[in-house]
Structures are given as C-alpha cells and as structure tokens.
Amino acid sequence: CTVAAGHQFVYSSVRLQMYEMMKEWVGSDPTEVPFASRVLLASCSGAIATVVSNPLERCKVVIQALPKERCPSFPLLVKGFTAHSVENLKCAWTGQKRTRPEGLMGGLGASVQRSVLVHATQLSVYDSLRDMGEKHFGLPPLVSLIFASISSGFLSAAVGAPLDVIKTRLMAQQGTAEYTGFLDCLLKTVRHEGFLALFKGYFATWLKVGPFTIAQFYVWTTLMRRHREIFGDGYEEAEGDM
C-alpha cells in the first residue's frame, strides 16, 4: 500500500504539473490550446512521469504478484533490482546475453508506450471536454468536470487495457525471463490465450478509473484554479509586461 501510494504520488504530481507547465509554455491562454497540441503535451508529460516513477511501479507490481510469504521487503527488493540492473548493464557492455530479469527500469518500454497512449487520451479529452462544457454549453464547473472525467476515464481504460496486461507481465517476471520484450510478450499472449486476453480486467479497471479520475481531476482543477486566483495567470502577466 505504501509503495503504491508513493508511486501514485510521484507519477500523478509529475504528469499533471508537467502538462500544465507545457500548456503555459505554448505561449497562449491555456484554455485555448488546440486539441492536437493537448494530445502532444499529454503524451510528453505522461512519458516523463513514467520514467521518473518506474522504479516504484516495478516494485509495486512484484509485491502484488508474489505471495506474502515469498515477497521480500521493499529495501531488499530495491537492492535486488539494483544488482540486476548493474549485471544487465555489464552484459550489454560486453555483448553477452542477458540472463537476469531487468532491474528497477524493468518494463519501462511497455510503461512508456502505455503512458503515451493512455494520457494522450485521458488528459487531452478531459481538458477539452471540461473547457467545452463550461465555455460553449454553460454547464456548471462540477457537472462539466464529472462528465469530462467519466468520458476520459472510459476511453483511456479502453486504450490502455492491452498495454496494462503486457506491462504487468513484463514487470512481474522473476527468475528466468519468460518474455524478451514488449513485442515478444504481445505475440505470446495473443498466440496462447487469444486476442481478448489483452483486455483482461477491463471492466474492473474502468470501475476503478471512473471514481479515481473524478476525484483526481477535481482536486487538480480546484488546486490549479486556487493557485491562479492567488498568483494570477502567467500568460496574463506576460501580456501586461509587453
């Protein structure tokens, strides 16, 4: 629970703040940023957050996958993964075949690919629908936020389900690596279990994502609006200086 909370804290803080900062770097009113630009910015912020938080995600997945009696403590897990990372770097440097599972950055490729697709969908759709609901349809902020959150959660869960399955399998590998990478895991899963295996747990994921997305975006939007009330908008200050 502590590791999962730590991962979510780091991941959400980085991706949401980076997204907001990037919108301001575009140089225009953040509420007027084109949808295509929001998709690109959401992809970039999601990828950066994934790289930063991947060590905690790797430990969380292994802790959840192993029985309690076989699961090492968090410090021992980090120590073991660090040793694996060093060992694999040596193999890569000398050209030897990798025999150990990846270390703290295990599953990073699948995680980044998932993050780019999921958050390009989630953040851009949420942000655009919320602004559209308030500006063009006159919806109350809370109603607009709930509608945008549910819609973005549904779409992002559908987009991310196959990548979640692959990412989890890559990260949960222990001992001899069963999969050599993203494509190998994808092909073996479809070949042995069928295409629908990529969508295992979709409805459970959506039931989790729905309320979580509403709560997360409500807190984020409230904090951002409060911040702007206190400190003002960067783009307004920039226009005033010009």
Side-chain angles (χ1 to χ4, degrees):
C1 182
T2 303
V3 179
H7 166 260
Q8 192 58 241
F9 175 79
V10 173
Y11 179 67
S12 295
S13 299
V14 173
R15 77 182 177 97
L16 294 176
Q17 185 58 33
M18 285 298 298
Y19 177 70
E20 198 65 31
M21 290 171 60
M22 287 177 179
K23 281 205 302 180
E24 293 181 0
W25 293 343
V26 170
S28 59
D29 182 342
T31 62
E32 298 295 336
V33 175
F35 180 73
S37 297
R38 296 186 196 214
V39 171
L40 178 60
L41 298 180
S43 300
C44 293
S45 63
I48 293 169
T50 299
V51 173
V52 173
S53 64
N54 197 78
L56 287 171
E57 172 79 349
R58 171 77 160 133
C59 293
K60 181 195 78 172
V61 169
V62 172
I63 289 173
Q64 290 175 339
L66 290 176
K68 186 176 181 180
E69 59 274 9
R70 289 179 52 203
C71 185
S73 64
F74 178 66
L76 287 177
L77 201 57
V78 172
K79 183 178 179 181
F81 280 146
T82 303
H84 289 179
S85 299
V86 172
E87 212 173 304
N88 290 330
L89 284 174
K90 289 179 180 177
C91 290
W93 181 260
T94 58
Q96 299 175 0
K97 184 179 179 181
R98 179 170 63 88
T99 57
R100 303 286 293 184
E102 295 180 81
L104 289 172
M105 286 304 185
L108 178 62
S111 292
V112 170
Q113 291 174 61
R114 172 197 177 276
S115 183
V116 166
L117 289 174
V118 169
H119 298 298
T121 304
Q122 186 188 54
L123 275 177
S124 59
V125 169
Y126 164 77
D127 211 19
S128 300
L129 288 180
R130 187 199 66 205
D131 289 343
M132 188 184 301
E134 292 183 21
K135 283 192 169 185
H136 300 291
F137 295 101
L139 295 177
L142 184 59
V143 174
S144 183
L145 182 146
I146 292 174
F147 171 71
S149 298
I150 292 175
S151 301
S152 64
F154 179 81
L155 290 173
S156 62
V159 170
L163 295 170
D164 274 333
V165 171
I166 295 172
K167 180 199 73 172
T168 301
R169 293 187 179 195
L170 288 173
M171 284 188 167
Q173 293 186 106
Q174 293 292 304
T176 304
E178 181 181 355
Y179 308 109
T180 58
F182 178 87
L183 185 59
D184 181 58
C185 182
L186 173 65
L187 293 176
K188 285 182 178 176
T189 300
V190 173
R191 185 184 304 123
H192 298 306
E193 302 175 50
F195 179 75
L196 291 180
L198 296 174
F199 291 89
K200 283 183 176 179
Y202 168 74
F203 289 106
T205 299
W206 185 69
L207 289 174
K208 182 203 81 169
V209 167
F212 176 77
T213 303
I214 294 172
Q216 183 183 57
F217 284 143
Y218 175 77
V219 172
W220 175 48
T221 302
T222 301
L223 289 176
M224 289 305 303
R225 285 177 173 166
R226 184 60 179 160
H227 179 273
R228 286 172 180 162
E229 288 174 4
I230 296 174
F231 299 103
D233 291 324
Y235 60 88
E236 289 179 351
E237 293 174 1
E239 290 175 355
D241 293 338
M242 289 177 62

